[in-house]
Amino acid sequence: MRIRIVHGLALLSTGLLAGAFGYGAVNLVPTFNAVPLPMRLSFHAELMKMNGITMQAAMGTAFLSSLALAVLARGRARLIASAASLLTLASFLITRFGNVPINGQIKRWAVTSAPAGHAEILGRWELFNDLRTLTALAAFGLLITLAVGKLRAVTRSGHDRADRS
C-alpha cells in the first residue's frame, strides 16, 4: 500500500512539474518573445518571484517521491524510478545553475536596461528552459510507463486466473 501512495505522489508531482515547465515552454516563452522587451523583462522578473517557491517545491517533491519509489521498488521498477529521480534532479540542477543566474540578470535589467548582448543571454535561458522541460517530461513519462506496466501485469494475472477457472 505504501508503494502505491509513493508512486501516486511521484506521478502527481512529476506531472505537475512537467506541466508547469511545458506550459512555460509552449505559452510563456512565445509570449515573452512577442511583447516589447521592457514588458518581457518586467513580467519575467515578477513571474520569477512567484515561481521561486512553487517550482522549488515541485522539483523537491518530484525528486524525493521518485527517489522514495526507487528505494521501495524492486527489479526493473527500481531502475525506472531511479532514472525518473535522476531526471528530476537534472531539472533542478539545470534550473539552479542555468535559469536562476539568468533570472537574476533579467531582474536587474527590468529596473535598468538590457545590455547589448541580451538576445544571446535570453536565448540561453530558453535553451535551459527547454532542457529542464524535457527532463521533467521524461521523468513523468517513465513513471507513467511504470504505472501502465503494473496495471498490465495486474490485468494479465487476472486473465490468467480467469483462464484457469
Side-chain angles (χ1 to χ4, degrees), residues 66-67 69-71 73 76-86 143 146:
S66 297
L67 183 61
L69 182 60
V71 169
R76 184 171 172 255
R78 175 174 278 173
L79 292 174
I80 292 170
S82 295
S85 180
L86 289 173
L143 293 174
L146 189 57

Side-chain angles (χ1 to χ4, degrees), residues 1-149:
M1 181 63 154
R2 181 175 44 182
I3 196 166
R4 290 173 126 172
I5 293 169
V6 170
H7 192 186
L9 180 60
L11 276 167
L12 176 64
S13 59
T14 57
L16 289 172
L17 183 64
F21 283 150
Y23 178 83
V26 172
N27 293 300
L28 288 177
V29 171
T31 303
F32 283 162
N33 293 328
V35 299
L37 183 62
M39 183 183 292
R40 175 199 177 141
L41 298 177
S42 294
F43 181 73
H44 193 120
E46 285 300 313
L47 182 63
M48 294 311 111
K49 288 179 188 176
M50 300 301 292
N51 279 358
I53 295 167
T54 57
M55 294 309 292
Q56 285 183 46
M59 286 184 280
T61 305
F63 171 70
L64 292 174
S65 60
S66 297
L67 183 61
L69 182 60
V71 169
L72 293 172
R74 300 283 178 253
R76 184 171 172 255
R78 175 174 278 173
L79 292 174
I80 292 170
S82 295
S85 180
L86 289 173
L87 286 163
T88 59
L89 178 61
S91 291
F92 170 77
L93 293 173
I94 291 165
T95 300
R96 178 66 190 97
F97 296 108
N99 296 94
V100 169
I102 297 172
N103 288 343
Q105 291 177 306
I106 291 170
K107 189 176 178 180
R108 286 189 300 279
W109 300 345
V111 294
T112 59
S113 64
H118 72 275
E120 178 191 337
I121 296 168
L122 293 175
R124 268 196 332 224
W125 185 93
E126 290 179 22
L127 173 64
F128 291 133
N129 190 59
D130 290 343
L131 290 173
R132 68 185 181 173
T133 300
L134 290 173
T135 57
L137 185 59
F140 184 45
L142 286 174
L143 293 174
I144 290 171
T145 300
L146 189 57
V148 169

